Amino acid sequence: MRTPERMALLMSIVERGSGSKLIKLYNKHQVFTHLRCEGAGTATSEIMDILGLGGSEKDIIISIAARPAILVLLEKLDDELRGAAPGKGIAFAVSLTAVSSLIAAFIDRKTRAEDEGSGSMDNQQRSSMILVTVNQGFTDAVMDTARKAGARGGTIIKGRWAGDESFAETNGITTLQAEKEMIFIVVPREIRAAVMESINREHGLQSEAGAMVSAVGIEQLVHLG
């Protein structure tokens, strides 16, 4: 069974309708375990054009695989497979500290041993993914604040609060809505703190927006399409 540091999460954000084809491509390159979600981009049409990210409706593919297999796939997407991914978007890797034994066993069986030794991820983590969970209806305000701090855009997934109801009372929160929107914002590491601090200051847990802000380091990022 694989040790935790040998596993990683691959997050891919592409144009709506491209997710199924992207999964087929990933399956051919040792990445087999996927969760597909639907989301919407928050960047303006001008920024979408500049970044080459296409329309605002997105397919979000979250994949778990052996870390070396994800590394090899990202290197190929940035080189010999450039242009092979359907639609435009981005894909990036995040290390996992733990994974269930059932998933690990499946991936261990499916992944060819000869793919494990190639390449090495950039440990400097030049980019970060900021995750903001906010009350429904406050996404535009949060993104305006993030842009003022240097962010270009994000991707939204709708959700619902499923935590302990006493959380709000214990923390002095007056507007903990059930309906939530999750905003994924990828930024350079240098501005991560400024973006997070700005969002927390203007839209934090004790405000009407009720934003919860966290971040993870991105080990490698490539542009698709």
Side-chain angles (χ1 to χ4, degrees), residues 42 132 134-149 156 181 183 185 195 198-200 202-203 207-211:
T42 66
V132 185
V134 66
N135 290 334
Q136 193 172 51
F138 290 91
T139 298
D140 289 344
V142 170
M143 282 308 308
D144 285 345
T145 298
R147 288 190 186 99
K148 290 176 183 177
I156 306 165
E181 291 175 331
I183 312 171
I185 308 172
V195 173
S198 295
I199 293 172
N200 193 54
E202 299 294 330
H203 313 284
S207 74
E208 193 175 0

Side-chain angles (χ1 to χ4, degrees), residues 94-95 156:
V94 178
S95 287
I156 306 165

Side-chain angles (χ1 to χ4, degrees), residues 63-204:
S63 312
I64 299 175
R67 187 171 178 268
I70 286 179
L71 171 59
V72 169
L73 174 59
L74 286 173
E75 289 177 342
K76 288 180 177 178
L77 287 170
D78 201 31
D79 187 15
E80 63 194 79
L81 289 177
R82 180 173 290 277
K88 296 179 179 179
I90 59 174
F92 55 87
V94 178
S95 287
L96 296 177
T97 57
V99 68
S100 74
S101 57
L102 186 61
I103 293 175
F106 171 79
I107 293 171
D108 189 67
R109 290 195 303 270
K110 293 281 286 185
T111 304
R112 293 193 301 269
E114 59 265 28
D115 285 338
E116 294 187 6
S118 302
S120 60
M121 283 193 177
D122 181 0
N123 292 324
Q124 289 191 321
Q125 298 185 345
R126 296 188 181 95
S127 302
S128 294
M129 181 178 69
I130 299 173
L131 172 60
V132 185
T133 304
V134 66
N135 290 334
Q136 193 172 51
F138 290 91
T139 298
D140 289 344
V142 170
M143 282 308 308
D144 285 345
T145 298
R147 288 190 186 99
K148 290 176 183 177
R152 285 191 160 185
T155 301
I156 306 165
I157 301 177
K158 295 186 181 297
R160 290 182 61 84
W161 173 256
D164 192 329
E165 294 300 324
S166 66
F167 175 80
E169 181 179 350
T170 302
N171 293 279
I173 301 169
T174 58
T175 55
L176 184 62
Q177 298 177 4
E179 292 76 19
K180 296 289 182 181
E181 291 175 331
M182 295 174 286
I183 312 171
F184 297 90
I185 308 172
V186 177
V187 298
R189 182 185 56 181
E190 291 76 13
I191 68 169
R192 177 189 62 200
V195 173
M196 294 179 70
E197 289 169 4
S198 295
I199 293 172
N200 193 54
R201 182 176 60 251
E202 299 294 330
H203 313 284

